[in-house]
Amino acid sequence: MKKIFIIAIILTFFIENTIQGQIIDKSWKKIINNKEDAWFASSEAKEIAENVLLYQRNIGGWPKNIQMHQPISKEKKAKLIQLKKSNKDVTTDNGATCQEMLFLSKVNKFQKNEKYKKAFLKGFDYLLEAQFDNGGWPQFYPLKKGYYSHITYNDDSMVHILNVLKNIKEKNNYFSIQPSDEVIKKVEIAFNKGIDCILKTQYKQNGVLTAWCAQHNRKTLEPAKARAYELPSLSGAESANIVLLLMRIENPSKEIIKAVNSAMYWFEKTKINGLREDRLYNNKGQVISKKMVSDTNAPPIWARFMELDDNTPFFCDRDGIKKATLAEIGEERRNGYAWYKTAPQEVLDKYPLWRKKHIKKIKPKDSFNVVVAKDGSGDYYSIQEAINNSKSFPYERITIFIKNGVYNEKVKVHKWNPHISLIGESKENTIITYNDYFDKINLGRNSTFYTQTLLAEADNTILKNLTIENTAGEVGQAIALTVNSNQVAIINCKLLGNQDTLYTSGNGKQYYKDCYIEGTTDFIFGNATVFFSNCQIHSKKGSYITAASTKENTAFGYVFKNCNITADENVTKVYLGRPWRIHAKTVFLYCKLGKHILPEGWHNWSKKEAEKTSFYAEYKNTGNGFNPDKRVKWSHQLEASTAKQFTLKNVLGEHKNSSKKEWYEIL
């Protein structure tokens, strides 16, 4: 019997400590947010609620970083009772006060108690009292000297407060405790002032609204410094949750819509692709090593701190000196601080539905001249939206002007949309980008042809002053631009990618003028007749520039005239071209060839018959890469009489024997 009794004691001890251990092992925040509703009706929840009441100060708020679910000794209880009169360390930082109010509300829902209600409402009064006249909230109230008195978005402090106010004023039963109607009127005023403060503190960069700093000076509203390593900067993390709050507002004003649109544009512009954070943990789960590594498949991330003038990420140690990379930061700060965040991705994911709900489609005043703008100032937000709403088979040209911005979308100019011009505000800053590649598409052997960022299938398309890029990296075939139509002009554009950057498809004629085209392998390929004039063709790797697949009996394939053929500094072995199909035709005239061009110039792609059927030629090229005497024997150095055939009119013209204007002369 004695033995059974001992076993029972041991089991009881084990069970009690296991239950207690399960609670203690969890963080206070997780207990509040992750526990099932029924748990808040338990005696455990009631015991913890008593702790929460003990930690609350008479002013109504709570201190931060307290694991309130852990047991409190008699001695500590006595000290906490004494501390109630003190206002020291009362804050909304790190979720403090707001999360304790939420916990008491959840317990009160199942275990009604006047003490919980009184404490909740006292916390509520504290939040209202702490608000500045300008609508912001400090990190600590009563105010502490230094950065603590700034308007504080850091760690979502102000967003937490506004979410509490929003749920109260909407009477949506999120909280089981509701203040009086008189107080709710005050709540509405406080909430609106808070939103107004958010709108006023959104930072303007060169006159354009962007995002927010973690702290703003309560008098000037300008970005402000906090700790030594928290310099004035734009913040990816805090800005994300501010925007999510704005997106939850029903019937948003024009100012709110503009703020959200502008922040969306900024998030798109500042996201970092191809970078992954690797962490090493010790046996206690603490980070002991953190480093950034390249990874083309990594999801987008955003830097915690970005320069106010140009969004460049920077890092700081406790010495307050800016560094360019995380690796330059000492271990203590490097491993103990969140330098990169993924929070803006939630904004990007939710934005399309929000936009559809809140931004009404307005018919453009002039359907032949429309504007696309990421900040909402145009007729359309996305390029594809503008194309999809354009007239089919119009009798006159439709011009879609695209304001500066990063447009992360796959764009298609449909066959029924001929005579469309996509005109960017500037080549450097009007960027159309996507990151599809062969293995990602995974549709079999022809997956390459689905990877393009922009696809032009309509005749008489004009693309001008644009950057079109595929950011997939060196992961195989990944097209930036596919043109599969006739009489298409690409003017003053940058085409960026790696393998297969530009696919010139179809039986039509294409004109590329004043363009920059870069890539690694076969980065200009296809079977169209194409004239490249005054373009820079840049190799990022030792490989092949062109892979023409000119159809048999076609007069001209690729013609490069007055182009500059360049490469990265470490690239030394590049071929001008190789035949994707055996009747390939490629000619370089009056071009400057860099030293990276191999003396033999051309490659047969292990197709011996192509040496007889293809046509590879040059005329009066210059530069260290021009070695006519060392070229493969089956290529050609043209005579003047033959070279004069390769004029723009002869290659692309439709009216060769008349003075009628050609299609490319009206660009």
Side-chain angles (χ1 to χ4, degrees):
M1 190 70 181
K2 186 177 180 182
K3 187 176 182 181
I4 294 172
F5 178 72
I6 292 170
I7 292 171
I9 290 175
I10 293 171
L11 282 171
T12 302
F13 177 81
F14 175 77
I15 291 168
E16 286 180 351
N17 278 276
T18 300
I19 293 171
Q20 187 64 41
Q22 287 172 346
I23 297 298
I24 291 173
D25 286 346
K26 288 184 178 291
S27 74
W28 173 228
K29 184 178 179 181
K30 286 182 179 178
I31 287 174
I32 298 169
N33 295 290
N34 296 351
K35 280 291 185 183
E36 297 288 337
D37 276 359
W39 180 84
F40 290 94
S42 69
S43 59
E44 289 173 303
K46 186 176 181 180
E47 287 177 16
I48 295 172
E50 292 300 316
N51 290 353
V52 173
L53 295 175
L54 266 175
Y55 277 105
Q56 187 180 29
R57 306 291 172 79
N58 290 341
I59 196 174
W62 280 264
K64 66 176 180 177
N65 300 335
I66 306 294
Q67 299 302 308
M68 299 198 179
H69 54 292
Q70 294 183 345
I72 304 175
S73 66
K74 288 182 180 180
E75 294 79 9
K76 190 169 184 179
K77 284 182 180 180
K79 287 182 180 178
L80 288 173
I81 291 170
Q82 297 239 332
L83 277 172
K84 279 189 168 290
K85 296 178 182 179
S86 171
N87 294 333
K88 185 181 179 183
D89 297 331
V90 184
T91 182
T92 55
D93 190 31
N94 287 1
T97 300
C98 294
Q99 61 188 13
E100 282 73 46
M101 290 172 64
L102 177 58
F103 181 83
L104 291 174
S105 167
K106 287 187 173 185
V107 176
N108 185 74
K109 182 178 179 181
F110 297 97
Q111 306 186 62
K112 297 288 184 185
N113 192 312
E114 194 62 28
K115 290 191 299 184
Y116 304 154
K117 181 178 179 181
K118 184 179 178 182
F120 178 91
L121 293 176
K122 187 183 284 189
F124 200 73
D125 289 339
Y126 169 78
L127 295 182
L128 293 179
E129 184 182 334
Q131 188 177 28
F132 292 135
D133 289 339
N134 61 24
W137 273 269
Q139 191 177 56
F140 285 83
Y141 183 80
L143 297 179
K144 289 175 65 175
K145 290 182 179 180
Y147 68 85
Y148 304 105
S149 62
H150 292 320
I151 296 169
T152 303
Y153 298 126
N154 190 43
D155 293 327
D156 307 319
S157 177
M158 190 162 145
V159 169
H160 288 318
I161 296 168
L162 287 168
N163 277 324
V164 171
L165 301 187
K166 184 175 184 295
N167 284 309
I168 289 291
K169 79 182 185 67
E170 291 176 357
K171 300 181 181 179
N172 57 16
N173 297 319
Y174 181 80
F175 293 111
S176 68
I177 303 166
Q178 281 285 109
S180 66
D181 288 344
E182 185 179 347
V183 173
I184 289 176
K185 288 180 182 177
K186 294 180 181 178
V187 171
E188 290 179 352
I189 294 171
F191 181 81
N192 291 336
K193 284 173 64 178
I195 297 301
D196 186 56
C197 179
I198 285 175
L199 298 177
K200 286 179 178 177
T201 51
Q202 188 171 15
Y203 187 74
K204 278 190 175 181
Q205 188 181 86
N206 301 318
V208 177
L209 288 172
T210 57
W212 291 263
C213 184
Q215 297 83 210
H216 287 256
N217 185 285
R218 75 178 190 271
K219 294 180 179 178
T220 67
L221 305 186
E222 291 298 314
K225 177 184 175 182
R227 289 172 286 191
Y229 50 89
E230 295 173 330
L231 303 180
S233 62
L234 293 172
S235 168
E238 280 78 13
S239 296
N241 285 306
I242 289 171
V243 176
L244 288 171
L245 169 65
L246 296 178
M247 289 169 68
R248 286 193 291 270
I249 295 174
E250 290 295 326
N251 303 314
S253 64
K254 290 180 180 179
E255 291 76 17
I256 291 173
I257 289 173
K258 185 176 181 180
V260 172
N261 284 333
S262 300
M264 268 294 301
Y265 163 54
W266 185 81
F267 287 138
E268 287 278 14
K269 187 176 181 179
T270 57
K271 71 179 177 181
I272 301 168
N273 291 304
L275 198 61
R276 185 186 77 240
E277 182 183 276
D278 277 359
R279 296 181 176 186
L280 183 65
Y281 297 88
N282 62 17
N283 55 10
K284 295 181 180 179
Q286 298 169 324
V287 179
I288 57 174
S289 177
K290 186 188 293 183
K291 64 178 181 178
M292 307 307 296
V293 296
S294 296
D295 180 359
T296 55
N297 295 315
I301 56 175
W302 285 259
R304 183 70 176 264
F305 302 116
M306 288 176 252
E307 294 282 10
L308 293 169
D309 57 350
D310 63 3
N311 308 312
T312 301
F314 70 84
F315 309 86
C316 250
D317 218 324
R318 292 190 183 275
D319 58 7
I321 299 173
K322 291 181 181 179
K323 303 292 193 303
T325 65
L326 184 57
E328 299 173 71
I329 302 299
E331 282 189 12
E332 184 267 335
R333 277 297 80 199
R334 183 171 73 245
N335 300 332
Y337 198 73
W339 296 99
Y340 290 96
K341 291 284 188 175
T342 59
Q345 187 60 52
E346 185 180 355
V347 180
L348 299 184
D349 293 340
K350 290 182 175 180
Y351 178 77
L353 189 60
W354 177 87
R355 178 178 173 80
K356 187 176 181 180
K357 181 180 178 181
H358 293 293
I359 301 181
K360 296 178 181 178
K361 289 184 178 178
I362 301 173
K363 190 175 181 180
K365 294 179 182 178
D366 181 355
S367 58
F368 290 94
N369 291 279
V370 300
V371 176
V372 177
K374 293 290 287 187
D375 63 4
S377 62
D379 300 300
Y380 300 101
Y381 175 78
S382 77
I383 300 166
Q384 194 61 57
E385 187 182 12
I387 294 170
N388 291 347
N389 283 285
S390 295
K391 292 177 180 290
S392 58
F393 305 107
Y395 289 109
E396 56 185 283
R397 179 163 291 280
I398 293 173
T399 297
I400 298 174
F401 180 75
I402 307 168
K403 286 190 176 182
N404 286 340
V406 179
Y407 297 83
N408 186 35
E409 54 179 307
K410 283 178 79 77
V411 176
K412 182 178 181 180
V413 184
H414 309 286
K415 289 182 180 179
W416 53 86
N417 291 127
H419 302 288
I420 272 188
S421 295
L422 301 182
I423 311 295
E425 184 175 354
S426 70
K427 176 175 63 176
E428 291 74 20
N429 298 310
T430 309
I431 302 167
I432 308 172
T433 181
Y434 215 74
N435 61 353
D436 276 346
Y437 56 94
F438 188 98
D439 288 341
K440 179 181 175 183
I441 294 295
N442 195 25
L443 290 174
R445 65 184 299 168
N446 294 311
S447 294
T448 301
F449 308 113
Y450 297 89
T451 63
Q452 68 279 326
T453 297
L454 192 152
L455 169 60
E457 288 194 331
D459 291 344
N460 305 108
T461 298
I462 295 174
L463 306 178
K464 190 173 183 180
N465 304 338
L466 299 168
T467 289
I468 303 166
E469 63 179 355
N470 189 312
T471 59
E474 288 198 64
V475 290
Q477 298 95 323
I479 300 171
L481 173 64
T482 293
V483 178
N484 186 17
S485 45
N486 189 32
Q487 296 186 0
V488 174
I490 319 295
I491 311 296
N492 193 39
C493 288
K494 292 171 72 175
L495 308 180
L496 309 181
N498 289 282
Q499 184 174 348
D500 295 356
T501 302
L502 170 62
Y503 180 30
T504 60
S505 180
N507 300 319
K509 296 179 179 181
Q510 304 173 23
Y511 182 35
Y512 295 76
K513 184 176 185 293
D514 302 328
C515 291
Y516 172 88
I517 306 169
E518 71 169 25
T520 55
T521 299
D522 303 334
F523 60 93
I524 301 174
F525 72 111
N527 56 295
T529 294
V530 188
F531 198 101
F532 298 88
S533 175
N534 197 38
C535 293
Q536 181 179 354
I537 312 299
H538 188 80
S539 292
K540 297 163 65 177
K541 182 179 179 180
S543 194
Y544 309 88
I545 295 174
T546 66
S549 57
T550 318
K551 291 188 177 181
E552 189 175 6
N553 299 321
T554 301
F556 301 99
Y558 288 162
V559 177
F560 294 84
K561 196 168 187 178
N562 297 314
C563 292
N564 191 15
I565 314 304
T566 61
D568 283 358
E569 191 173 341
N570 61 339
V571 175
T572 58
K573 296 180 180 180
V574 174
Y575 291 93
L576 293 170
R578 60 176 178 172
W580 183 19
R581 295 294 180 264
I582 62 172
H583 296 284
K585 291 184 177 181
T586 303
V587 179
F588 285 79
L589 307 96
Y590 305 104
C591 294
K592 183 179 180 181
L593 310 183
K595 62 183 179 180
H596 60 289
I597 299 299
L598 288 164
E600 52 267 42
W602 311 92
H603 193 279
N604 67 9
W605 207 334
S606 301
K607 301 170 184 176
K608 195 69 178 175
E609 70 274 28
E611 295 183 6
K612 297 179 180 178
T613 55
S614 63
F615 183 79
Y616 287 133
E618 298 172 81
Y619 182 72
K620 287 194 174 181
N621 291 324
T622 59
N624 294 329
F626 182 48
N627 292 287
D629 296 334
K630 297 180 180 180
R631 293 292 192 248
V632 291
K633 293 180 180 179
W634 44 275
S635 67
H636 306 273
Q637 297 298 319
L638 300 178
E639 297 291 336
S641 57
T642 307
K644 69 181 182 181
Q645 299 176 19
F646 293 90
T647 62
L648 187 58
K649 187 177 183 71
N650 213 28
V651 175
L652 299 183
E654 299 291 331
H655 310 290
K656 298 176 184 178
N657 297 317
S658 74
S659 59
K660 188 176 180 180
K661 273 197 171 185
E662 295 288 357
W663 63 273
Y664 53 80
E665 292 181 296
I666 57 174
L667 299 176

